[in-house]
Amino acid sequence: MASVSPPAPPRPGRHPDAMDRIRPLGPLQRLLRRPDLGAVLGVLVSWGLFALVGGSSFSTADGAASYLADAAGLGILAATVALLMIAGQFDLSVGSMIGAAGMLLAILVVEFGVPAWLAVIVALLFGAGYGALNGWLVVRTKLPSFIVTLAGLFVLRGLTIALTRLITGRTQVGGVDDVDGGSLVNTLFAARIGPFSASVLWWLAITAVCAVVLSQTTFGNWLAATGGNEDAARNSGVPINRVKIVTFMLTGLAAALVGVIQVVEAGSADTLRGQMKEFEAVIAVVIGGTLLTGGYGSVIGAALGALTFGIVRQGIFFTGADTDWFQVVLGVFLMVAVLVNSWLRTRALKAR
């Protein structure tokens, strides 16, 4: 009678399902798991649409310069707001900071004769300091950052209007470009390289730095951990209070930088500058694939979200349509972007 050999035992370390569990993701799975995929599609669709209906000028270098310049200020904000939202926080005071920092710069230069370069430094430090105050209030009071910074939005805007009127008797200050010592400031913040403005270079540089911080540093891991599960992050040794304060400082600094750029480019300041920018920044970040609940997102996606803003706003102008339709188109883009990003995340989970 022939003997039957027992089946050979599995080789050590090779559980039957082990290879399935460690199988690397394929190209499609990796693509679907990118948070900024929806933003890439949004840019391509919006640019393609307006390239078709916006006339030949839209596709020229001057056309590109127009929508890049339009998107640059929002892009600077969105890069840091993306980091903040990934950490699970909101800053609704950034729009008011744009007006406040710009007005501070203008008053120091025009009314008090402070050198332009020194006034710029003071304005930037003011932005970072106010951001630190927001972060400290969030940490100390345990109130939602939405409430703390919403209050800050009204307080900062009100103080800017009241103090400006008290000092100057008006709510607009001009003549910033007429002061001595402004050449270096103008070069840094208002120079042009061909048709492209310096603000575009600031946007690209800040986006690159924030993207590296998020993806390549320990602090970036802390951001995602804090936004994903704050209690677990704290138990793992993540200094969540420091993370929150630093990210609020970054958003305040970015808003102040946008205010400085606007004043130097225009040569004047207005207390109402920056209105609605806090909401536009959140929308750009959400279009870029960042979750409102935190823990997941992309700085590059936020930059693409800001670029979509610029393309749509300038694209409507190039078509000759009434620019009042911009907010309608923006609302539609927001809803579609959220739906697309949700669908892509669902597909990515199913493809694992």
Side-chain angles (χ1 to χ4, degrees):
M1 183 175 180
S3 61
V4 179
S5 301
R11 293 168 59 185
R14 294 287 296 275
H15 188 275
D17 295 329
M19 292 306 295
D20 291 334
R21 289 199 301 268
I22 64 174
R23 182 182 300 155
L25 294 174
L28 178 60
Q29 288 89 340
R30 288 198 299 270
L31 181 64
L32 290 174
R33 288 167 65 90
R34 291 190 61 86
D36 46 22
L37 177 59
V40 173
L41 297 176
V43 169
L44 294 177
V45 170
S46 58
W47 190 91
L49 173 63
F50 289 110
L52 288 175
V53 302
S56 58
S57 299
F58 181 81
S59 303
T60 64
D62 288 336
S66 69
Y67 59 71
L68 287 173
D70 189 285
L74 179 59
I76 292 170
L77 281 181
T80 55
V81 170
L83 298 182
L84 185 70
M85 288 179 61
I86 291 170
Q89 306 298 313
F90 289 92
D91 189 350
L92 298 183
S93 67
V94 290
S96 296
M97 176 53 69
I98 292 174
M103 187 55 70
L104 176 61
L105 167 63
I107 288 176
L108 288 176
V109 170
V110 176
E111 300 293 330
F112 296 101
V114 176
W117 63 267
L118 181 57
V120 167
I121 293 175
V122 172
L124 295 177
L125 290 176
F126 173 68
Y130 190 81
L133 175 62
N134 276 336
W136 181 81
L137 288 173
V138 169
V139 169
R140 294 291 294 178
T141 64
K142 308 298 183 183
L143 290 173
S145 57
F146 183 92
I147 298 299
V148 171
T149 58
L150 181 62
L153 179 157
F154 293 109
V155 169
L156 188 57
R157 182 72 71 184
L159 284 174
T160 301
I161 295 172
L163 293 177
T164 300
R165 196 183 298 275
L166 179 65
I167 296 171
T168 68
R170 54 192 186 276
T171 59
Q172 296 176 331
V173 175
V176 178
D177 53 349
D178 297 330
V179 298
D180 293 333
S183 58
L184 175 61
V185 172
N186 286 329
T187 300
L188 286 175
F189 301 108
R192 303 190 72 85
I193 301 177
F196 300 99
S197 63
S199 60
V200 175
L201 299 181
W202 280 101
W203 173 28
L204 295 176
I206 290 171
T207 297
V209 170
C210 289
V212 170
V213 167
L214 179 62
S215 62
Q216 303 295 327
T217 69
T218 301
F219 186 76
N221 293 333
W222 288 350
L223 290 172
T226 301
N229 189 321
E230 186 172 311
D231 291 333
R234 182 186 293 107
N235 294 334
S236 299
V238 175
I240 59 173
N241 290 345
R242 191 194 317 167
V243 168
K244 291 179 182 180
I245 292 174
V246 170
T247 48
F248 276 108
M249 289 179 66
L250 292 176
T251 57
L253 180 61
L257 175 61
V258 173
V260 167
I261 291 173
Q262 289 184 353
V263 168
V264 176
E265 286 183 339
S268 62
D270 190 322
T271 56
L272 298 182
R273 279 200 183 134
Q275 282 190 321
M276 298 299 293
K277 285 299 180 184
E278 55 276 345
F279 299 109
E280 290 184 4
V282 171
I283 293 171
V285 172
V286 171
I287 290 176
T290 297
L291 293 179
L292 287 171
T293 53
Y296 179 85
S298 167
V299 172
I300 301 300
L304 295 174
L307 180 57
T308 301
F309 264 78
I311 290 173
V312 172
R313 183 151 32 207
Q314 292 300 310
I316 292 175
F317 171 79
F318 276 100
T319 62
D322 191 339
T323 53
D324 290 339
W325 287 97
F326 168 71
Q327 292 189 14
V328 176
V329 177
L330 180 61
V332 172
F333 259 87
L334 174 62
M335 182 61 68
V336 171
V338 172
L339 291 174
V340 169
N341 287 331
S342 177
W343 179 79
L344 290 173
R345 280 193 296 271
T346 301
R347 293 281 298 176
L349 290 173
K350 291 179 178 180
R352 293 179 61 179

